[in-house]
Amino acid sequence: MMGAMTTLLAALLDGALDDPEAIRVGDVAMTGPELLGAAAVVADQIVERPDEGPVAVLAEPTAQTVVAMVGALLAGVPVVPVPPDTGPGERGHVLTDSGASLWIGERPPEVTLPVRKVDLRQRSGDQTREAPNDGPALILYTSGTTGAPKGVLLSRAAMAAGLDGLADAWDWTADDTLAHGLPLFHVHGLGLGVFGALRIGSRLVHVGRPKPELYAAAVRDHGATLLFGVPTIWSRIAADPDSAGALRPARLLVSGSAPLPVPVFERVRELTGQAPVERYGMSETMITLSVRADGERRPGWVGQPVAGVSTRIVSTDEENEGELLPHDGETIGELQLQGPGLFTGYLGRPEATAATWTDDGWFRTGDAAVIDAGGYHRIVGRRSVDLIKTGGYRVGAGEIETALLEHVGISEAAVVGEPDDDLGQRIVAHVVVSGDPIDPDEVIAFVADRLSAHKRPREVRVVDALPRNAMGKVQKARL
């Protein structure tokens, strides 16, 4: 572990990653010193500005993006990663709310900020050192499902602590080669998938687009040992036996950002010879829970707290709100946690920040979970949409979704609770059919045969596709 180091980009700044293939993004490869020299040019341009506000980076999956973000950290200013597919309205909100004073990358027509582009051929002899790690490194914007997107302030110290916890849990070292095709505007693809490699010193291969054959090529051609993916990627890999078989030499397959369906988990294990490692985190917390590299891998369970993190589950019922709940593997409560990897707050939102903390100093995740006697956690889902109160019972949507996905005719499923005069909420399943038409009544009976009767859907709706965000999470509010 590297807890004693005071910088986020520890390995990069210590001169590691000197292999010609140390950092590969798409077709571009560079050494750590080459990345640092190009990033120092960006840092020089940033510090020359009269305005020292945050820097907005067009977060395309390119080497220029990585150089720009490292350059901003060298200059000591926060990075605002802007998704390439963000519409003008949301992009305008992000830029205004963050106070961004410079745009790096191809500038959309409506953006009026000063712009800089990254030239990978330029180098600066001034190897600027990274700013102290007590300031914000990233301003990540939430998905905005409960209002306008909020800017999450993640400090260098928090990111470093989270990464060190994962290095410990996954035996992640400089001997690894990390490969993934994740977006560079989320904690998963950027915080873990770029800054993790630059802190720990493992080689990095960003495959550009998350295609099974590109993951296979990363293992075959670049010796990737550690692979990151979201469930959508693992589902595609599970449907491509040749690509999946090529992953057998890899050491660790990591899935996160959304629950991994049990059939996909089992198929990946069958084709690759190893079960995926699941983990849990948020923009506000880095990764707080994970199955360890040498730990038991159970479908649907996201393991134990990483080093430095403490967790608890509490009741959200009005009559006993905040009461600690037992770790029996069945009782559902709100997951709350403490640890060094937590965010500083929401930018300019003191009331929203305060609302996420309990009076005794625990962060409210807003997620419903169970914890078993061995400290393993299973995330039921968001309290607001995945914890359904029906007929006096508390039911987790994820358990029903898992049962639905066991049906041979269903390829995707999302369960929500809708208002019901009799039950309080009735369970409604939205399903994507993979073959012949299905009989909704038969599907309801199918679930009732596998779970308690009160957990069966009262209605099954067939849809062409489930609405998902860029990380593959189903956007249940749209259902």
Side-chain angles (χ1 to χ4, degrees):
M1 290 178 61
M2 292 181 251
M5 294 190 179
T6 58
T7 57
L8 173 59
L9 308 176
L12 178 67
L13 292 174
D14 283 346
L17 295 163
D18 57 358
D19 187 292
E21 291 279 333
I23 298 105
R24 172 171 284 276
V25 184
D27 295 330
V28 177
M30 64 183 81
T31 67
E34 287 172 341
L35 167 59
L36 195 56
V41 174
V42 175
D44 292 342
Q45 295 175 332
I46 291 173
V47 297
E48 289 171 356
R49 299 170 304 148
D51 188 330
E52 297 181 356
V55 171
V57 176
L58 182 63
E60 296 176 311
T62 65
Q64 286 86 346
T65 294
V66 175
V67 168
M69 293 188 179
V70 172
L73 294 184
L74 295 180
V77 300
V79 176
V80 183
V82 181
D85 60 350
T86 298
E90 183 175 340
R91 184 162 51 232
H93 166 76
V94 167
L95 296 179
T96 301
D97 187 75
S98 67
S101 59
L102 182 68
W103 176 275
I104 301 182
E106 294 296 328
R107 185 172 58 181
E110 81 283 355
V111 174
T112 58
L113 294 175
V115 64
R116 298 287 187 277
K117 295 182 181 179
V118 176
D119 186 343
L120 297 178
R121 299 167 298 179
Q122 290 186 332
R123 300 286 184 269
S124 172
D126 179 15
Q127 299 294 314
T128 310
R129 306 305 290 180
E130 184 183 343
N133 65 0
D134 56 355
L138 298 178
I139 305 176
L140 296 173
Y141 275 80
T142 63
S143 58
T145 54
T146 57
K150 299 188 291 290
V152 175
L153 295 169
L154 272 179
S155 71
R156 292 169 174 79
M159 293 180 66
L163 291 168
D164 289 348
L166 288 180
D168 173 67
W170 296 343
D171 295 331
W172 185 2
T173 73
D175 292 330
D176 280 305
T177 296
L178 167 63
H180 68 90
L182 299 170
L184 299 185
F185 46 87
H186 283 99
V187 161
H188 194 171
L190 178 59
L192 278 61
V194 172
F195 294 130
L198 301 182
R199 177 168 181 77
I200 292 164
S202 63
R203 293 172 298 280
L204 168 65
V205 178
H206 192 289
V207 300
R209 301 189 65 183
K211 295 182 177 181
E213 61 269 27
L214 296 180
Y215 273 62
V219 175
R220 182 182 62 247
D221 300 337
H222 303 291
T225 59
L226 183 61
L227 302 178
F228 290 172
V230 297
T232 301
I233 295 173
W234 294 117
S235 179
R236 292 170 182 168
I237 289 172
D240 185 342
D242 289 341
S243 293
L247 305 187
R248 282 183 171 268
R251 184 177 67 81
L252 212 62
L253 313 178
V254 180
S255 180
S257 296
L260 183 66
V262 174
V264 175
F265 179 102
E266 298 294 357
R267 183 62 171 159
V268 169
R269 172 158 55 185
E270 175 188 347
L271 293 173
T272 67
Q274 63 170 303
V277 162
E278 297 187 66
R279 89 300 181 279
Y280 165 84
M282 305 170 64
S283 298
E284 291 90 340
T285 67
M286 292 293 288
I287 304 304
T288 54
L289 303 169
S290 182
V291 175
R292 297 184 64 86
D294 59 355
E296 180 186 0
R297 304 179 192 183
R298 308 178 204 162
W301 292 79
V302 294
Q304 300 164 310
V306 302
V309 173
S310 301
T311 64
R312 69 184 188 184
I313 50 173
V314 303
S315 173
T316 57
D317 292 339
E318 290 184 7
E319 61 272 17
N320 57 350
E321 185 173 0
E323 178 182 311
L324 294 179
L325 297 175
H327 295 185
D328 57 13
E330 296 182 4
T331 303
I332 299 173
E334 182 189 42
L335 177 65
Q336 298 181 351
L337 52 87
Q338 293 179 328
L342 273 61
F343 75 139
T344 306
Y346 296 114
L347 178 64
R349 309 280 185 94
E351 293 183 359
T353 300
T356 64
W357 295 92
T358 66
D359 292 340
D360 57 347
W362 290 75
F363 175 73
R364 309 175 194 265
T365 66
D367 283 323
V370 301
I371 307 175
D372 73 5
Y376 261 57
H377 294 61
R378 179 169 62 84
I379 306 300
V380 174
R382 296 298 291 172
R383 277 181 50 198
S384 56
V385 293
D386 292 311
L387 186 58
I388 302 169
K389 297 180 180 180
T390 180
Y393 295 98
R394 295 159 61 87
V395 177
E399 185 179 15
I400 306 168
E401 290 162 358
T402 296
L404 287 164
L405 289 172
E406 294 176 4
H407 192 288
V408 68
I410 295 175
S411 60
E412 297 182 64
V415 170
V416 298
E418 296 192 359
D420 187 276
D421 292 339
D422 179 42
L423 298 170
Q425 287 182 299
R426 70 180 184 279
I427 299 170
V428 177
H430 298 76
V431 300
V432 177
V433 176
S434 57
D436 295 331
I438 60 170
D439 178 359
D441 290 335
E442 185 270 329
V443 172
I444 292 171
F446 178 87
V447 175
D449 284 344
R450 284 157 177 76
L451 305 176
S452 302
H454 67 269
K455 297 179 180 179
R456 72 190 186 281
R458 301 300 176 121
E459 184 179 351
V460 174
R461 300 174 185 166
V462 177
V463 296
D464 293 332
L466 298 177
R468 297 180 182 272
N469 66 14
M471 295 301 287
K473 293 182 181 179
V474 176
Q475 297 174 305
K476 291 193 174 182
R478 293 175 57 186
L479 294 175

